Amino acid sequence: MEVNADQDLVKIDEVDKKIISLLNEDGRMSYRKISRDLDISVGTVHNRVDKLMKTGVIKKFVPVINHSQLGYKLTAIIGVRVKGGVLKNWETQTAYHANVLGVYDVTGEFDAILIAKFKDTTELDQFIKELLKEPNVQRTYTQTVLNIVKEDMGSSKML
């Protein structure tokens, strides 16, 4: 693994990619199992994972939640137009709402896109109405997701 100082990019080799891929399949996989699967020492796995974490390639280990199993069956994509000069403050405040999974600055007609999950349309309706009450929100545009074809924010397949 090599860190490119010019752009703060981390270059990883094939061993790092294989370790990441195995951990992506099962974040609880033991270093011993990884070492056996890749035919490398446990110490090498430990050192590699430690470096991947220290450089920020691996941010953290978390469970992948199946939201629909918990009743959150409605996914909404919400475009938001915000008054000039307050976007960052508004985003920081909105990002901590429990239903919001992602906040993205975007180009085009809207300033931000929110990805959020709700139990039903009533909950979505309340969220949108609360958004529109905020003095810095000028407009929203909401789309509901009919089918989730792919949703894998932690994918290692692009490596």
Side-chain angles (χ1 to χ4, degrees):
M1 178 183 339
E2 169 185 334
V3 178
N4 183 339
D6 294 333
Q7 299 172 347
D8 291 330
L9 294 178
V10 178
K11 292 185 179 181
I12 58 175
D13 63 16
E14 287 305 311
V15 173
D16 293 327
K17 289 177 187 179
K18 288 176 183 175
I19 291 171
I20 292 168
S21 180
L22 288 170
L23 288 172
N24 200 45
E25 288 175 34
D26 179 4
R28 294 174 30 158
M29 185 177 290
S30 72
Y31 289 175
R32 183 171 309 287
K33 170 104 172 78
I34 294 170
S35 74
R36 272 188 257 129
D37 287 358
L38 301 182
D39 196 30
I40 57 177
S41 75
V42 174
T44 298
V45 174
H46 180 274
N47 291 338
R48 296 271 187 142
V49 172
D50 192 47
K51 283 181 185 177
L52 289 166
M53 291 182 70
K54 284 180 180 171
T55 58
V57 172
I58 295 176
K59 289 183 177 183
K60 58 185 175 179
F61 293 91
V62 296
V64 177
I65 307 293
N66 182 340
H67 292 95
S68 66
Q69 290 293 101
L70 300 171
Y72 293 90
K73 297 183 182 285
L74 179 63
T75 301
I77 301 167
I78 306 164
V80 183
R81 185 177 298 151
V82 179
K83 288 182 183 171
V86 296
L87 181 62
K88 284 290 177 204
N89 291 339
W90 178 84
E91 286 176 333
T92 300
Q93 172 190 343
T94 304
Y96 292 103
H97 190 283
N99 294 74
V100 175
L101 301 179
V103 178
Y104 304 92
D105 284 345
V106 296
T107 60
E109 185 176 350
F110 296 97
D111 300 307
I113 297 291
L114 308 179
I115 307 297
K117 295 205 180 256
F118 302 93
K119 289 186 176 182
D120 53 35
T121 56
T122 302
E123 198 173 80
L124 170 60
D125 182 52
Q126 289 174 325
F127 179 80
I128 296 299
K129 286 178 178 167
E130 288 299 315
L131 265 183
L132 290 169
K133 284 182 188 176
E134 294 180 19
N136 294 319
V137 173
Q138 295 178 324
R139 181 171 174 244
T140 65
Y141 178 80
T142 303
Q143 294 178 305
T144 56
V145 174
L146 298 176
N147 295 301
I148 297 173
V149 177
K150 179 181 180 181
E151 189 174 68
D152 187 6
M153 300 306 267
S155 178
S156 64
K157 293 181 176 118
M158 66 184 71
L159 302 177

